[in-house]
């Protein structure tokens, strides 16, 4: 099977079985999505959603974050991963948005990455989910699943994964494909023991093919 055939088969399967997908983070506007995405780094969307209602009630906009004390922000997010650094980043983000962007979350991905706590992945999530950019955010699920099923070859970093996926997936499909791979990694192609018996991608999956060859059965 060629790489092009693998991409064609996997994309076709997702288009048939997961035609409508979106982020599982709860948000109502660009500010809320940015905050939620920052908090979701190395943390589950489920945990972020648990705390976000109270967080957004207390801090409904960048101005409220900019004016808040870090210890108070920490109290609202203490149950997420790395709450100390994320509290500092949230306050810094609020301050920079107020001071340099007139209180509005920028829709330019390079400008987004100048905000404290906002890297390429977070900026790309904003672009893919909210700003209609043809970009491919790469989180741990996308990185793992892409390598496991054979969409990427030898990618050692998220950027290398992003570049390989962006080369082979039609640009207009990149935001959707991002969600396909995340959800597949979250619920089927899980890290420790992928659920191959439940997976529709086995006809194209490199990992499954190797397991079949070596053991004659799925894991």
């Amino acid at each position: 099977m060629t790489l092009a055939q693998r991409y064609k088969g996997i994309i076709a399967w997702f288009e048939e079985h997961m035609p409508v997908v979106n982020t599982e983070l709860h948000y109502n506007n660009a500010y809320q999505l940015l905050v939620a995405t920052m908090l979701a780094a190395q943390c589950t969307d489920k945990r972020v959603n648990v705390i976000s209602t109270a967080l957004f009630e207390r801090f409904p906009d960048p101005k409220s974050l900019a004016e808040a004390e870090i210890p108070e922000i920490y109290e609202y997010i203490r149950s997420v991963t790395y709450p100390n650094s994320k509290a500092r980043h949230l306050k810094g983000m609020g301050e920079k948005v107020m001071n340099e962007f007139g209180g509005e979350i920028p829709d330019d991905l390079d400008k987004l990455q100048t905000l404290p706590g906002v890297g390429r992945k977070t900026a790309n999530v904003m672009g893919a989910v909210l700003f209609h950019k043809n970009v491919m955010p790469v989180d741990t699920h996308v990185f793992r699943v892409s390598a496991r099923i054979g969409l990427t070859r030898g990618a050692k970093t998220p950027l290398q994964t992003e570049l390989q996926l962006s080369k082979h997936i039609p640009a207009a499909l990149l935001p959707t494909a991002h969600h396909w791979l995340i959800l597949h990694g979250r619920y089927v192609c899980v890290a420790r023991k992928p659920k191959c018996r439940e997976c529709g991608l086995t006809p194209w999956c490199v990992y499954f093919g190797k397991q079949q060859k070596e053991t004659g059965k799925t894991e």
Side-chain angles (χ1 to χ4, degrees), residues 58-78:
R58 172 61 185 87
F59 307 110
D61 49 37
K63 183 174 184 292
S64 57
L65 273 183
E67 295 174 347
E69 297 294 331
I70 291 175
E72 184 184 7
I73 299 173
Y74 171 87
E75 288 302 316
Y76 281 86
I77 67 170
R78 62 188 305 166

Side-chain angles (χ1 to χ4, degrees), residues 93-169:
M93 179 273 287
E95 290 175 338
K96 187 154 189 173
V97 168
M98 293 306 298
N99 294 333
E100 298 187 20
F101 299 108
E104 299 294 328
I105 304 300
D107 61 5
D108 180 90
L109 303 193
D110 290 330
K111 291 179 180 178
L112 275 172
Q113 291 180 68
T114 68
L115 299 174
V118 179
R120 185 180 183 90
K121 190 269 288 187
T122 297
N124 280 351
V125 168
M126 295 294 291
V129 174
L130 200 64
F131 298 136
H132 309 294
K133 310 281 190 182
N134 294 331
V135 291
M136 168 57 73
V138 176
D139 70 349
T140 56
H141 295 299
V142 174
F143 184 84
R144 180 185 71 254
V145 171
S146 299
R148 183 181 277 165
I149 66 180
L151 294 180
T152 58
R153 296 175 175 175
K156 303 298 184 182
T157 66
L159 179 58
Q160 290 175 354
T161 295
E162 177 188 337
L163 293 176
Q164 289 191 36
L165 293 174
S166 298
K167 180 180 178 180
H168 296 285
I169 297 173

Side-chain angles (χ1 to χ4, degrees), residues 39-106:
L39 292 176
Q42 299 184 49
C43 186
T44 66
D45 289 2
K46 182 178 179 180
R47 167 49 48 186
V48 173
N49 290 337
V50 166
I51 69 167
S52 63
T53 298
L55 179 69
F56 293 142
E57 286 179 356
R58 172 61 185 87
F59 307 110
D61 49 37
K63 183 174 184 292
S64 57
L65 273 183
E67 295 174 347
E69 297 294 331
I70 291 175
E72 184 184 7
I73 299 173
Y74 171 87
E75 288 302 316
Y76 281 86
I77 67 170
R78 62 188 305 166
S79 65
V80 304
T81 54
Y82 308 110
N84 288 295
S85 60
K86 288 178 180 179
R88 292 194 301 272
H89 288 156
L90 287 175
K91 179 175 175 61
M93 179 273 287
E95 290 175 338
K96 187 154 189 173
V97 168
M98 293 306 298
N99 294 333
E100 298 187 20
F101 299 108
E104 299 294 328
I105 304 300

Side-chain angles (χ1 to χ4, degrees), residues 183-201:
L183 295 174
H184 195 67
R186 189 171 289 166
Y187 299 112
V188 180
C189 196
V190 295
R192 293 187 179 181
K193 193 172 183 181
K195 303 174 183 178
C196 296
R197 297 180 189 277
E198 302 174 20
C199 181
L201 301 181

